Amino acid sequence: MINRLSLFCLPLAAAGMASCQQPQEEAKRPNIIFMMTDDHTTQAMSCYGGRLIQTPNMDRIAAEGIRMDRCFAVNALSGPSRACILTGKFSHVNGFTDNASTFDGSQQTFPKLLREAGYETSVIGKWHLISEPQGFDYWCILSGQHEQGDYYDPDFIENGRHIQEKGYVTDVVTDKAIAYLEHRDKSKPFCMMYHQKAPHRNWMPAPRHLGMFNHTEFPEPATLFDNYEGRGTAARTQDMSIAHTMTEDWDLKLLTREEMLADTTNRLYQVYKRMPRDVQAKWDSVYAPRIAEYRSGKLKGKELVSWKYQQYMRDYLATVVAVDENIGRLLDYLEKTGELDNTIIVYTSDQGFFLGEHGWFDKRFMYEECQRMPLVIRYPKAIKAGSVSDAIAMNVDFAPTFLDFAGVEIPDDIQGRSLKPVLTNEGAEPADWRKAAYYHYYEYPAEHSVKRHYGIRTKDFKLIHFYNDVDEWEMYDLTNDPHELTNVYGRPEYAGKQAELIELLHQTQQQYNDTDPDEKVRELFKGDRRLIPGR
Ligand code: SGN
Ligand code: CA
């Protein structure tokens, strides 16, 4: 699995000797820190041009490395995305299609391959794959709330042992990461997966950030009041709107302490009670004006939706601030210990998220805001500072990329492709690079009611097929319609493009062996190619 050069150099490097034929620098294998948050999206990152907050430490990774502008989740949901990342394989191959799945931990993953090649491996924070982590020398995963983890005084399973820690989850996960780095076996390169829970629902800020945005008005997205005209059934029947789905208690935190104490079964109380008393007191004072305003009865209709959007942003973005601060802490620690430039530092999120676009929160849809993942990478030995790339990347590419940088052979059954040639060439893609990202979402019927669908996303277009209990196609011209408001599928002026995209979808499904998502499409592809709609 290790290439010949590193195999030859490894024992010497481990013994601190420099007598390898290659210069010592070249022989040294990079450490990898894979930083992943949960539900953080590019609209809330200043290096992506987001107008909502400043994220200086994430921006630093981008400025001193590369920003990938077209990285896509292949199934925009936590467990599935994590399984794709670990295996480099799509959901239909790794078996974890939705959050009700259990990961088959006996299968090949990139941490296992790195470990076999002499890396020390660890995972800290959100795991969400139900089965115990395999292939890690150290693992410490969030266990509360069905493995979503708690914001305050979180529970963990540390190498099989149940523990509870004091403090705010984003800080605690970082403390653990730093403690691990302090005590790791320094004779080996390491690969650490550092997985934050934030900014996942229900968006509870750190004590120091409670109320920090109470006097900030955030810009509304252009599509906050989308009426879904020009889209299909799936967009109209979802259950993830700020107007209707967002709850008063869990999401908007519109319950007083007295009300929570009077109904201790309430879910908000279950997380509130985990805070120390002084933090509860701060919480009470910060949310009191919000509750009063809401109950004044003045807010109605669109004004109420705008108001809810503001509260949502105040909480969500405050949790992002803590993530950014903690990334800063980790970068400082690496700098201080001399490991910063030896380490490939990746920042991403398991998928993107809707911050009011189309009137929504949550993810799941193959629409831009959540299909697109943040991805910034710093490794000055091979990546030029300030690089930006529009090459189409997917989360299944992460595994082969890490193996490639570590000099480990990429097994043939990995479906993603190493991004190394793109990353090391200032973001430019090789001539034979893929033309489309593939997507397939399965979790339906389920929470948020997003219908099953699959499709492709090229640089300029998107083709989606919603199936299962509907049979509807959508196609978006992203250059002319970046907000994806007008479905152009079936329009005569797009007939040629449509036929081209259907063929590309077909080829992509063949390539990744996802050939039977549903009968009807098989029929469509099986027969006479002239029957492809639009041809
Ligand atoms: C929880 C949330 C959902 C969210 C899923 C999946 N509900 O069930 O809003 O879509 O997690 O998120 S909550 O009432 O518990 O907050 S994922 O990122 O883990 O896939
Ligand atoms: Ca997520």
Side-chain angles (χ1 to χ4, degrees):
M1 288 292 170
I2 311 174
N3 74 26
R4 240 192 251 143
L5 172 70
S6 16
L7 194 65
F8 176 61
C9 296
L10 228 184
L12 301 173
M17 292 158 73
S19 52
C20 185
Q21 283 164 345
Q22 295 291 320
Q24 195 187 21
E25 267 311 279
E26 244 174 79
K28 187 161 181 184
R29 294 182 295 170
N31 304 312
I32 299 166
I33 297 189
F34 179 74
M35 304 176 173
M36 180 160 69
T37 39
D38 193 2
D39 294 356
H40 186 209
T41 188
T42 53
Q43 307 94 287
M45 260 172 103
S46 36
C47 60
Y48 277 99
R51 297 175 305 146
L52 296 164
I53 45 163
Q54 292 301 311
T55 47
N57 294 298
M58 296 172 193
D59 293 8
R60 176 181 173 192
I61 300 173
E64 295 175 3
I66 188 165
R67 189 187 78 210
M68 300 295 289
D69 282 355
R70 288 198 182 114
C71 179
F72 300 104
V74 303
N75 182 357
L77 198 61
S78 169
S81 177
R82 289 158 205 271
C84 291
I85 288 168
L86 284 169
T87 59
K89 297 174 184 171
F90 290 88
S91 308
H92 64 282
V93 175
N94 69 47
F96 201 105
T97 50
D98 60 37
N99 278 342
S101 313
T102 299
F103 187 64
D104 169 11
S106 69
Q107 66 186 302
Q108 169 184 285
T109 63
F110 84 82
K112 284 188 190 172
L113 295 170
L114 288 179
R115 194 179 185 207
E116 281 165 19
Y119 271 73
E120 192 176 275
T121 56
S122 59
V123 58
I124 300 163
K126 184 167 171 179
W127 173 247
H128 208 196
L129 293 174
I130 314 304
S131 57
E132 265 192 6
Q134 293 186 32
F136 297 97
D137 294 292
Y138 173 73
W139 55 274
C140 186
I141 58 170
L142 286 161
S143 62
Q145 307 257 2
H146 309 288
E147 294 199 10
Q148 292 288 1
D150 278 291
Y151 274 107
Y152 288 91
D153 288 3
D155 294 307
F156 290 88
I157 309 176
E158 186 173 46
N159 286 350
R161 197 170 59 93
H162 289 257
I163 52 169
Q164 185 179 13
E165 298 288 4
K166 293 267 167 243
Y168 183 67
V169 67
T170 311
D171 303 333
V172 173
V173 167
T174 312
D175 293 343
K176 286 189 172 294
I178 291 175
Y180 159 73
L181 292 177
E182 274 294 293
H183 296 108
R184 73 189 169 86
D185 176 351
K186 305 234 166 57
S187 69
K188 293 179 173 177
F190 67 89
C191 170
M192 179 174 81
M193 301 183 83
Y194 162 88
H195 291 178
Q196 289 293 4
K197 169 201 172 52
H200 193 275
R201 192 181 180 192
N202 70 338
W203 320 298
M204 294 171 78
R208 63 187 176 284
H209 298 138
L210 279 169
M212 72 179 290
F213 291 129
N214 270 13
H215 301 289
T216 308
E217 284 289 312
F218 294 99
E220 288 182 357
T223 59
L224 182 61
F225 297 102
D226 193 354
N227 59 11
Y228 316 119
E229 249 172 47
R231 254 67 45 74
T233 311
R236 285 194 296 274
T237 57
Q238 46 57 45
D239 182 21
M240 49 194 262
S241 72
I242 293 178
H244 306 293
T245 315
M246 197 166 263
T247 59
E248 290 182 11
D249 48 3
W250 180 245
D251 295 319
L252 292 161
K253 301 141 186 116
L254 300 169
L255 281 184
T256 64
R257 174 179 177 82
E258 291 65 37
E259 286 160 347
M260 285 192 271
L261 292 175
D263 175 13
T264 55
T265 62
N266 182 278
R267 206 162 159 217
L268 185 65
Y269 179 71
Q270 298 306 314
V271 288
Y272 173 89
K273 75 176 181 196
R274 303 180 74 93
M275 299 181 216
R277 185 67 192 94
D278 59 322
V279 179
Q280 288 178 343
K282 185 165 183 198
W283 177 281
D284 297 341
S285 70
V286 158
Y287 288 103
R290 180 187 291 194
I291 296 170
E293 205 179 350
Y294 183 67
R295 293 183 183 172
S296 69
K298 289 185 201 138
L299 299 158
K300 300 243 156 36
K302 281 190 167 179
E303 223 190 325
L304 179 58
V305 173
S306 290
W307 183 86
K308 287 184 182 175
Y309 164 76
Q310 292 298 331
Q311 314 318 313
Y312 165 36
M313 285 303 92
R314 284 171 186 173
D315 294 344
Y316 176 98
L317 295 169
T319 71
V320 174
V321 172
V323 171
D324 192 71
E325 284 176 1
N326 276 284
I327 288 177
R329 267 177 75 204
L330 210 44
L331 294 177
D332 287 348
Y333 172 81
L334 292 168
E335 206 154 23
K336 207 177 65 201
T337 52
E339 293 293 348
L340 186 63
D341 290 350
N342 301 324
T343 306
I344 298 173
I345 294 172
V346 179
Y347 177 78
T348 189
S349 170
D350 59 348
Q351 8 69 206
F353 211 66
F354 293 106
L355 301 183
E357 298 86 3
H358 306 292
W360 298 335
F361 65 96
D362 214 65
K363 54 261 176 175
R364 300 162 190 268
F365 274 108
M366 194 190 156
Y367 296 141
E368 282 303 271
E369 292 81 1
C370 63
Q371 185 192 7
R372 184 185 192 202
M373 302 165 81
L375 179 63
V376 293
I377 307 175
R378 182 191 190 280
Y379 183 47
K381 290 185 178 166
I383 299 175
K384 191 162 176 234
S387 302
V388 174
S389 178
D390 69 355
I392 292 176
M394 297 185 275
N395 53 355
V396 288
D397 298 332
F398 297 176
T401 304
F402 300 147
L403 295 173
D404 202 1
F405 271 109
V408 178
E409 201 173 285
I410 301 166
D412 288 342
D413 61 353
I414 285 196
Q415 295 180 297
R417 186 168 167 183
S418 169
L419 298 171
K420 191 177 172 195
V422 176
L423 304 178
T424 55
N425 191 23
E426 296 181 46
E429 64 198 59
D432 65 344
W433 198 248
R434 64 170 69 96
K435 299 286 171 264
Y438 185 56
Y439 190 86
H440 195 159
Y441 170 82
Y442 302 80
E443 193 175 277
Y444 179 86
E447 192 176 11
H448 299 303
S449 282
V450 174
K451 293 191 186 297
R452 294 180 190 218
H453 57 293
Y454 56 82
I456 48 166
R457 202 263 193 221
T458 66
K459 282 194 174 168
D460 307 318
F461 279 88
K462 195 174 285 188
L463 178 72
I464 313 175
H465 183 229
F466 290 93
Y467 71 100
N468 185 236
D469 59 351
V470 286
D471 175 13
E472 294 181 12
W473 291 82
E474 292 183 12
M475 180 173 148
Y476 295 98
D477 175 348
L478 300 171
T479 312
N480 294 307
D481 179 24
H483 297 309
E484 299 165 308
L485 296 174
T486 307
N487 176 15
V488 297
Y489 189 88
R491 288 202 179 176
E493 66 271 32
Y494 285 98
K497 179 51 82 176
Q498 183 176 307
E500 191 191 302
L501 290 172
I502 290 177
E503 287 216 45
L504 186 56
L505 169 65
H506 178 49
Q507 283 164 14
T508 308
Q509 290 187 320
Q510 296 286 322
Q511 180 189 352
Y512 297 134
N513 206 19
D514 192 16
T515 47
D516 55 354
D518 83 314
E519 283 295 323
K520 274 195 177 147
V521 182
R522 254 192 295 169
E523 283 308 310
L524 185 73
F525 293 141
K526 233 193 293 178
D528 188 336
R529 289 184 101 60
R530 284 170 307 181
L531 294 180
I532 291 178
R535 192 163 261 269

